[in-house]
Amino acid sequence: DAGITQSPRYKITETGRQVTLMCHQTWSHSYMFWYRQDLGHGLRLIYYSAAADITDKGEVPDGYVVSRSKTENFPLTLESATRSQTSVYFCASSELAGVGETQYFGPGTRLLVL
Amino acid sequence: SQKIEQNSEALNIQEGKTATLTCNYTNYSPAYLQWYRQDPGRGPVFLLLIRENEKEKRKERLKVTFDTTLKQSLFHITASQPADSATYLCACNAGNNRKLIWGLGTSLAVNP
């Protein structure tokens, strides 16, 4: 049982390039989230999705694009990467919309923008 | 704005002792609070959830308390082991939606 997977696990890119981070979950969870984690800032929500074709902005959405055509996939695209987007990116999912739902995290993607 | 604060300093304790981590929140009243564990190079893993109407929750060697008067949650690990060494994150719901507000985490080191 794979659970929630992210790819690639590590990525080095250059400023201005487009990068897509993939997230796949096998539980059919309704909600999916993208976070970035940086020293001194903790986990910050980039985008989230309540269901296929429903997405919404989080705390730090600028420079990112998401889509969710299928329940199990939630790719995150950096349209034109900047050095400030160097970070560790985590995808997470939760089963239901009720208050108090646990979030399940993927292993993360470490992105370095040169 | 809504804010979660955790001890920024690392906590070092001796094996067998009880570790106590603190999570304080300001400018709102969360309906629930969650604790996660994060190991280096890995994603956070859920440990416990406590709701605003609950004073205490336990799971094996873990105990969480929620004091709405003090606006604080305490996370206890009893009979600590070196394997408990990790960073522990506190998260609260952000108002009525499904988003979470996260603390920066407290690093715990349990020495043999």
Side-chain angles (χ1 to χ4, degrees), chain A residues 45-62:
Chain A
L45 183 65
I46 304 170
Y47 270 95
Y48 68 104
S49 169
D53 298 322
I54 300 175
T55 62
D56 207 348
K57 295 179 180 179
E59 183 184 353
V60 289
D62 292 343

Side-chain angles (χ1 to χ4, degrees), chain B residues 3-41:
Chain B
K3 205 173 178 183
I4 304 293
E5 291 181 342
Q6 296 185 251
N7 289 358
S8 57
E9 290 184 19
L11 181 62
N12 282 273
I13 64 168
Q14 209 61 33
E15 183 175 7
K17 301 290 186 184
T18 296
T20 299
L21 286 68
T22 305
C23 176
N24 295 296
Y25 55 91
T26 55
N27 296 328
Y28 81 124
S29 298
Y32 63 87
L33 192 147
Q34 301 186 23
W35 284 89
Y36 288 73
R37 169 183 173 141
Q38 186 173 22
D39 291 286

Side-chain angles (χ1 to χ4, degrees), chain A residues 37 41-42 97 99-100 103 110, chain B residues 32 34 36 38 41 49 98 104:
Chain A
Q37 188 174 39
H41 289 282
V99 172
Q103 293 190 9
R110 280 146 190 78
Chain B
Y32 63 87
Q34 301 186 23
Y36 288 73
Q38 186 173 22
L49 178 150
R98 288 81 189 168
L104 296 184

Side-chain angles (χ1 to χ4, degrees), chain A residues 2-110:
Chain A
I4 183 163
T5 57
Q6 293 183 236
S7 62
R9 294 294 314 279
Y10 303 90
K11 177 74 178 178
I12 300 174
T13 191
E14 293 176 339
T15 301
R17 291 196 181 259
Q18 183 180 83
V19 176
T20 295
L21 310 183
M22 304 301 292
C23 178
H24 176 79
Q25 51 109 351
T26 58
W27 295 305
S28 298
H29 283 174
S30 296
Y31 277 76
M32 296 187 75
F33 307 83
W34 272 108
Y35 293 93
R36 60 179 290 174
Q37 188 174 39
D38 306 283
L39 278 174
H41 289 282
L43 283 162
R44 291 183 290 175
L45 183 65
I46 304 170
Y47 270 95
Y48 68 104
S49 169
D53 298 322
I54 300 175
T55 62
D56 207 348
K57 295 179 180 179
E59 183 184 353
V60 289
D62 292 343
Y64 302 96
V65 174
V66 293
S67 62
R68 195 164 176 209
S69 56
K70 292 184 177 182
T71 300
E72 61 267 29
N73 296 323
F74 190 38
L76 175 74
T77 297
L78 287 66
E79 294 186 295
S80 177
T82 65
R83 289 183 183 169
S84 65
Q85 292 177 311
T86 291
S87 186
V88 181
Y89 291 85
F90 288 103
C91 178
S93 69
S94 66
E95 185 175 5
L96 298 172
V99 172
E101 282 300 320
T102 300
Q103 293 190 9
Y104 297 88
F105 285 79
T109 293
R110 280 146 190 78

Side-chain angles (χ1 to χ4, degrees), chain B residues 30-105:
Chain B
Y32 63 87
L33 192 147
Q34 301 186 23
W35 284 89
Y36 288 73
R37 169 183 173 141
Q38 186 173 22
D39 291 286
R42 293 178 175 259
V45 175
F46 171 77
L47 296 174
L48 278 171
L49 178 150
I50 188 165
R51 301 183 190 279
E52 61 179 338
N53 60 350
E54 298 174 320
K55 294 290 184 188
E56 182 180 297
K57 207 77 168 285
R58 290 176 186 261
K59 178 182 175 183
E60 297 172 354
R61 294 184 296 110
L62 309 180
K63 184 178 86 171
V64 174
T65 62
F66 197 175
D67 189 325
T68 55
T69 302
L70 292 179
K71 292 185 179 291
Q72 181 180 84
S73 174
L74 297 179
F75 177 79
H76 305 273
I77 305 175
T78 58
S80 61
Q81 304 166 1
D84 295 325
S85 299
T87 296
Y88 291 86
L89 303 173
C90 166
C92 300
N93 66 295
N96 291 325
N97 59 37
R98 288 81 189 168
K99 293 184 282 189
L100 293 175
I101 300 175
W102 294 84
L104 296 184

